[in-house]
Amino acid sequence: MKVLYFAWLRERIGKAEEDIAFPPGTETAGEAMAHLASLGEEYAYAFENPAIIRIALDRKHVPHETPLRDAREMAFFPPMTGG
Amino acid sequence: MKVLYFAWLRERIGKAEEDIAFPPGTETAGEAMAHLASLGEEYAYAFENPAIIRIALDRKHVPHETPLRDAREMAFFPPMTGG
Amino acid sequence: MPDPLIRVQAEPFDAAAESRRITAGRTDIGAVVTFTGLCRSEEGSLAALELEHYPGMAEDELARVAREALARWPLQGVTIIHRHGRIVPGEEIVLVVTASAHRRAAFESADFLMDYLKTRAPFWKKEHPASGAEGGWVAAKADDDAAAGRW
Amino acid sequence: MPDPLIRVQAEPFDAAAESRRITAGRTDIGAVVTFTGLCRSEEGSLAALELEHYPGMAEDELARVAREALARWPLQGVTIIHRHGRIVPGEEIVLVVTASAHRRAAFESADFLMDYLKTRAPFWKKEHPASGAEGGWVAAKADDDAAAGRW
């Protein structure tokens, strides 16, 4: 799946996007995040406080427990500060 | 005293302003209005519903019971509809 | 506290220029709200509005409500412009501009100013119908008083 | 119901032109509210803001909040423009324009749009200090969430 990172998540991980093949049994957006957090030190740092991370599936805000189903793009970012 | 009329008060009375010497004993803005209402048919028509008339003394909104004291300009008008 | 800019005029105004006048050269303003009130045609039934005002008192009352807003909210600028005379549908009647470091103060004070000037500023609207019939004075609305009572 | 006009762009915008775009040639609009959000220098401590956004989703979310406003208030026009990229103090960041027959709908919907886009639109601000030190990401404010919760 195409995975995007924004703001300090992007900076901590060191890339803006990548393709990730999530392991079988990865059902929800939150489980996908937990998998990413296991990919290395920079990921662990980015996701050290999972409760504050916002997730979008196919460009829509979703709760962490949302099933991935056939989503094609997932994005992780801190709370928004636009406006 | 200089007396001004605006909007439909001006139209009913047929003039925008005039000088009025109020009779001795005219203490308040409301009493001044009652005197004006006695000056003729057009005045009686203009002031037929005194409760809705707004009064300004020297260009400040005042309640009807406000003493005239040494005010130099009094204005009568309907509720405002600007904005 | 900045001085409010108050104008009562027959001429149209330029909302953008008034907004720029407040913000130009400054870097401490985070939010600018402009309110523009326009003359509606009421589905073609209105040919024009005639706005009568009390010269002198109109300016005084607009300045009074502006100073009240400046006392209640932390504002870096307040502008109120109110037109008088004949105004046709589509034309602008009134402009309020407020500027503040923060958006809440800018929104609330602009809203307050419109409510307050509607019930305090000595202006009266007469409608000239498109039919050519004799015009009538607009009646004050109870909900304008209620709106001003919110503050 | 009118289509909202949504733009996400690096370039500055022209608030007056956007307001005119909504009102031009119409006589059924009685109230136009514009909100402009500007970059503050924080008493000289800020050199610039860098606004990152999620292309595609940013436009979608702004359109979503605009459609929500159109569903909740009787509006004749809604425009939202949000800039991204480097923005220096004094420059404009965001514009919201709402137009309605009546002032209450125009005020409330503009206020709503700003509260909502702050908490839903995927934009992130990084501060570049005037000192030349490494910039930091602006933290989301709890009172922005509280403000959005009012609606």
Side-chain angles (χ1 to χ4, degrees), chain C residues 63-77:
Chain C
R64 207 185 309 273
V65 297
R67 284 193 304 268
E68 191 159 335
L70 287 163
R72 289 175 70 154
W73 286 275
L75 301 176
Q76 278 128 339

Side-chain angles (χ1 to χ4, degrees), chain B:
Chain B
M1 194 186 312
K2 184 177 178 185
V3 177
L4 307 176
Y5 311 109
F6 291 97
W8 50 258
L9 276 149
R10 174 181 53 72
E11 290 183 340
R12 289 184 182 187
I13 291 168
K15 56 184 103 170
E17 64 175 89
E18 59 187 325
D19 279 300
I20 299 276
F22 289 101
T26 308
E27 299 275 335
T28 69
E31 288 165 18
M33 178 163 59
H35 172 71
L36 292 168
S38 75
L39 294 183
E41 244 178 47
E42 65 277 32
Y43 290 92
Y45 178 38
F47 294 108
E48 65 183 353
N49 190 355
I52 65 166
I53 306 297
R54 307 295 176 96
I55 308 179
L57 277 179
D58 288 338
R59 304 181 176 181
K60 287 192 181 67
H61 294 290
V62 295
H64 288 194
E65 60 275 22
T66 307
L68 297 177
R69 291 222 176 84
D70 50 1
R72 292 189 292 184
E73 182 174 306
M74 181 161 33
F76 298 90
F77 43 79
M80 285 78 77
T81 54

